[in-house]
């Protein structure tokens, strides 16, 4: 039983028919198919598209495709029992498509300036992807102006990703851009600011501090929860406090900023402040802060007593 991705490209604008329900992959097996593009799941990921389910394959049609559609398209089968479906990892297909467009050698970027964080424990990518397979692509530093060689050991060029820094370090910092040449034409990419992140990956590194651990009745008190982490990793905070079950009014403010810690190292400092006005007896006890990122969570606590 063969499974493949069929993609049809149209350069004209046409009305979209309503989304068709999936049909059986074969008459004897409850097998359906789904499609995924470089921009996300379909339908709805691309501006104009049609997905049609056939008996033995699924077909994606792009209407008015542009250079921004360049990337990998994947599809897979889904085994369904009634209305419950699961992805069949054994039957998947993918293909990478270059969409050429006049005047566009690079896949367009949503901004004119972007930031790439250099983490010592993982690869970093400057996403200079091209729309022409034969294009010659080079990497350049803005200041001091020079070409940065992709020597295959420290930096490599991957058509599907861009320039890959295999072992990033602080010496790679600076502003860089890419240059593409094809068919006698050349183009400069957007600029990328490379920043070195000193903090390694993992659950949040969290601390907690109260403005005072012994508080008189009627005074104000605040508890600060702080996380030092990677510049591009968001942190969520959750609080547990003594007056919570009694719906004691509190104010919680979350914020973050980037700080430079010498030698060009950049760290993200995320903070959550829980504030209480007119301290009462029910406010005495443990203040617990839980900080969570994609790698896990950390819980810290401190006590505030009535003096």
């Amino acid at each position: 039983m063969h499974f493949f991705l069929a993609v049809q490209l149209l350069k004209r604008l046409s009305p979209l028919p309503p989304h068709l329900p999936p049909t059986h992959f074969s008459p004897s097996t409850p097998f359906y198919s789904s499609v995924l593009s470089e921009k996300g799941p379909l339908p709805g990921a691309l501006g104009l598209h049609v997905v049609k389910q056939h008996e033995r394959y699924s077909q994606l049609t792009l209407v008015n495709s542009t250079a921004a559609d360049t990337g990998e398209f994947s599809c897979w089968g889904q085994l369904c029992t009634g209305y419950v479906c699961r992805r069949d990892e054994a039957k998947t297909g993918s293909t990478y498509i270059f969409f050429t467009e006049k005047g566009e050698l690079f896949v367009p970027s949503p901004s004119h300036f972007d930031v790439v964080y250099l983490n010592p424990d993982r690869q970093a990518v400057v996403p200079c992807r091209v729309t022409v397979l034969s294009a010659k692509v080079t990497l350049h530093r803005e200041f001091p102006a020079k070409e940065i060689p992709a020597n295959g050991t420290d930096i490599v060029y991957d058509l599907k990703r861009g320039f890959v820094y295999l072992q990033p370090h602080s010496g790679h910092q600076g502003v860089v851009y890419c240059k593409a040449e094809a068919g006698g034409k050349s183009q400069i990419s957007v600029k990328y600011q490379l920043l070195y992140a000193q903090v390694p990956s993992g659950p949040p590194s969290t601390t907690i501090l109260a403005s005072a651990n012994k508080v008189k009745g009627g005074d104000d008190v605040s508890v600060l929860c702080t996380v030092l982490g990677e510049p591009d990793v968001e942190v969520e905070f959750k609080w547990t406090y003594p007056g919570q079950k009694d719906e004691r009014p509190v104010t919680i403010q979350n914020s973050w900023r980037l700080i430079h810690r010498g030698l060009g190292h950049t760290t993200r400092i995320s903070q959550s402040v829980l504030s209480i006005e007119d301290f009462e007896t029910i406010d005495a006890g443990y203040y617990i802060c839980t900080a969570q990122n994609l790698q896990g969570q950390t819980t810290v606590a401190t006590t505030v007593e009535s003096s």
Side-chain angles (χ1 to χ4, degrees):
M1 185 180 296
H2 297 285
F3 185 69
F4 61 92
L5 175 67
V7 179
Q8 179 181 1
L9 309 177
L10 299 181
K11 285 295 185 180
R12 60 182 176 81
L13 188 65
S14 61
L16 297 180
H19 179 62
L20 299 177
T23 56
H24 288 290
F25 181 75
S26 68
S28 60
T29 306
F31 193 93
Y32 306 90
S33 60
S34 295
V35 186
L36 182 73
S37 78
E38 186 81 12
K39 297 182 180 179
L42 294 167
L46 302 177
L48 294 170
H49 68 274
V50 180
V51 177
K52 290 185 178 180
Q53 304 286 351
H54 298 271
E55 182 178 348
R56 293 186 175 274
Y57 65 93
S58 178
Q59 184 180 49
L60 165 65
T61 302
L62 300 184
V63 182
N64 264 17
S65 58
T66 68
D69 293 313
T70 296
E72 186 172 83
F73 291 76
S74 304
C75 63
W76 56 87
Q78 296 192 80
L79 293 172
C80 297
T81 303
Y83 292 100
V84 179
C85 298
R86 62 180 177 84
R87 178 171 174 170
D88 187 351
E89 300 291 348
K91 293 181 174 65
T92 64
S94 65
T95 185
Y96 193 95
I97 304 176
F98 293 87
F99 290 83
T100 58
E101 185 177 346
K102 185 177 180 180
E104 293 286 356
L105 294 181
F106 287 107
V107 177
S109 173
S111 62
H112 296 289
F113 192 87
D114 205 353
V115 176
V116 176
Y117 294 106
L118 307 172
N119 296 274
D121 56 351
R122 67 171 181 261
Q123 297 178 353
V125 179
V126 177
C128 297
R129 296 187 297 124
V130 291
T131 61
V132 180
L133 179 62
S134 60
K136 177 186 176 182
V137 189
T138 52
L139 181 64
H140 300 260
R141 182 181 295 276
E142 185 177 50
F143 183 83
K146 66 175 183 178
E147 181 179 337
I148 303 174
N151 51 26
T153 56
D154 188 30
I155 303 174
V156 298
Y157 183 68
D158 185 335
L159 275 173
K160 299 180 180 180
R161 300 174 66 194
F163 285 97
V164 182
Y165 287 72
L166 301 178
Q167 295 180 320
H169 55 76
S170 59
H172 289 140
Q173 290 188 114
V175 177
V176 301
Y177 62 90
C178 303
K179 181 179 181 181
E181 297 178 346
K185 298 181 180 180
S186 64
Q187 185 178 359
I188 301 297
S189 73
V190 301
K191 295 180 180 179
Y192 299 91
Q193 173 74 58
L194 307 188
L195 295 177
Y196 186 73
Q198 187 180 18
V199 180
S201 301
S205 174
T206 312
T207 59
I208 191 170
L209 179 66
S211 58
N213 292 107
K214 291 189 177 182
V215 183
K216 295 179 181 180
D219 287 350
D220 298 341
V221 64
S222 62
V223 185
L224 172 65
C225 192
T226 302
V227 170
L228 295 179
E230 299 175 81
D232 54 345
V233 176
E234 295 185 0
V235 177
E236 292 184 358
F237 293 96
K238 293 181 180 179
W239 285 94
T240 303
Y241 52 93
Q244 195 166 20
K245 63 180 180 180
D246 297 318
E247 297 184 353
R248 176 75 161 96
V250 301
T251 301
I252 298 175
Q253 293 182 321
N254 298 330
S255 63
W256 68 270
R257 68 183 189 277
L258 297 180
I259 58 174
H260 301 283
R261 307 181 67 186
L263 297 177
H265 295 170
T266 302
T267 301
R268 178 182 179 130
I269 179 171
S270 303
Q271 294 181 316
S272 181
V273 182
L274 184 150
S275 303
I276 296 176
E277 296 180 352
D278 299 324
F279 188 83
E280 300 177 9
T281 304
I282 63 170
D283 296 319
Y286 284 97
Y287 287 76
I288 303 171
C289 171
T290 299
Q292 182 172 355
N293 62 18
L294 295 177
Q295 283 77 41
Q297 67 179 32
T298 304
T299 299
V300 292
T302 188
T303 58
V304 178
E305 300 176 357
S306 179
S307 62

